[in-house]
């Protein structure tokens, strides 16, 4: 059970309702994490910059590679909601997250995501060399900033123990949805 409640739209302030409505307008849905974050529209806005960075990374990093990168970060951070969110993205696009054959780029991003969470002070030099060979500096900056927001999302979900979104249940590990 979540340590913090989700907003109650009917009793929320105008500022919170406006932020809620804008999120629905932009993305068409509202997750339990977002309903919790909306107690602070500023916090919600900062976490929503994930989408801004995702757009900056496109087309240098395609959707599947981003989902694999995000899944690796989520898995290393042990964030059930975040893990399942990216499993859902993969499954809904025809991929089995339990049997992925990773491209060279995807394997690199998977390793990078795991390394960031394991010890951000010690990303292996050989991993850095491959990243620098593959991506321009701006892409690397955006990718690292994106990873930071992804990790922050996982941490928020874990610390608050945000209630699991019912629509994710079919995509959870072991749910046999793939």
């Amino acid at each position: 059970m979540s340590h913090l409640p989700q907003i109650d739209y009917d009793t929320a302030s105008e500022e919170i309702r406006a932020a809620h409505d804008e999120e629905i307008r932009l993305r068409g849905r509202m997750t339990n994490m977002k309903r919790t974050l909306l107690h602070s529209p500023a916090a919600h806005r900062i976490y929503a910059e994930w989408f801004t960075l995702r757009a900056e990374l496109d087309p240098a990093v395609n959707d599947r590679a981003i989902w694999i990168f995000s899944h690796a970060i989520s898995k290393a951070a042990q964030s059930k909601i975040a893990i399942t969110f990216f499993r859902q993205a993969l499954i809904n696009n025809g991929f089995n997250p339990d049997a992925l054959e990773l491209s060279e780029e995807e394997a690199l991003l998977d390793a990078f995501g795991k390394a960031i969470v394991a010890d951000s002070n010690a990303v292996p030099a050989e991993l850095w060399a491959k990243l620098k060979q593959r991506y321009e500096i701006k892409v690397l900056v955006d990718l690292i900033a994106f990873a930071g927001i992804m990790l922050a999302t996982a941490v928020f979900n874990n610390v608050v123990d945000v209630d699991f979104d019912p629509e994710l249940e079919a995509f959870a590990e072991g749910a046999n949805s793939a």
Side-chain angles (χ1 to χ4, degrees):
M1 180 168 209
S2 183
H3 295 288
L4 301 174
Q6 297 172 31
I7 62 153
D8 175 20
Y9 185 87
D10 295 333
T11 61
S13 71
E14 279 298 316
E15 179 187 19
I16 290 171
R17 284 198 305 266
H20 175 281
D21 295 348
E22 181 64 4
E23 179 66 23
I24 295 292
R25 186 188 72 75
L26 288 172
R27 295 180 241 298
R29 62 188 300 247
M30 181 62 64
T31 65
N32 290 342
M33 182 190 87
K34 292 174 188 176
R35 282 186 198 96
T36 306
L37 275 168
L38 275 170
H39 284 286
S40 169
H44 175 266
R45 188 174 51 255
I46 290 164
Y47 277 72
E49 289 300 316
W50 183 98
F51 294 97
T52 303
L53 287 168
R54 173 61 197 117
E56 286 294 309
L57 287 163
D58 188 32
V61 182
N62 68 34
D63 284 339
R64 181 178 141 128
I66 279 292
W67 299 330
I68 289 167
F69 183 55
S70 298
H71 183 265
I73 292 166
S74 303
K75 191 109 168 148
Q78 301 175 28
S79 179
K80 183 179 175 186
I81 289 174
I83 291 166
T84 308
F85 184 86
F86 292 103
R87 285 178 57 82
Q88 177 187 35
L90 288 162
I91 292 165
N92 282 346
N93 285 279
F95 306 110
N96 179 346
D98 300 317
L100 289 175
E101 290 187 29
L102 302 181
S103 69
E104 184 179 315
E105 177 186 26
E106 292 166 348
L108 177 63
L109 292 173
D110 182 73
F112 189 40
K114 291 172 183 172
I116 289 168
V117 178
D119 186 351
S120 60
N121 289 302
V123 173
E126 62 272 10
L127 192 52
W128 265 118
K130 290 177 184 176
L131 288 162
K132 289 176 185 178
Q133 183 178 25
R134 180 171 211 93
Y135 300 112
E136 295 177 5
I137 293 172
K138 182 196 182 303
V139 172
L140 288 170
V141 168
D142 288 340
L143 195 61
I144 296 160
F146 178 91
I149 292 176
M150 189 63 245
L151 183 55
T153 299
V155 168
F156 185 87
N157 281 310
N158 290 351
V159 171
V160 174
D161 196 14
V162 171
D163 293 331
F164 200 74
D165 296 89
E167 64 270 17
L168 292 179
E169 289 176 13
F171 302 95
E173 291 178 321
N176 296 322
S177 58

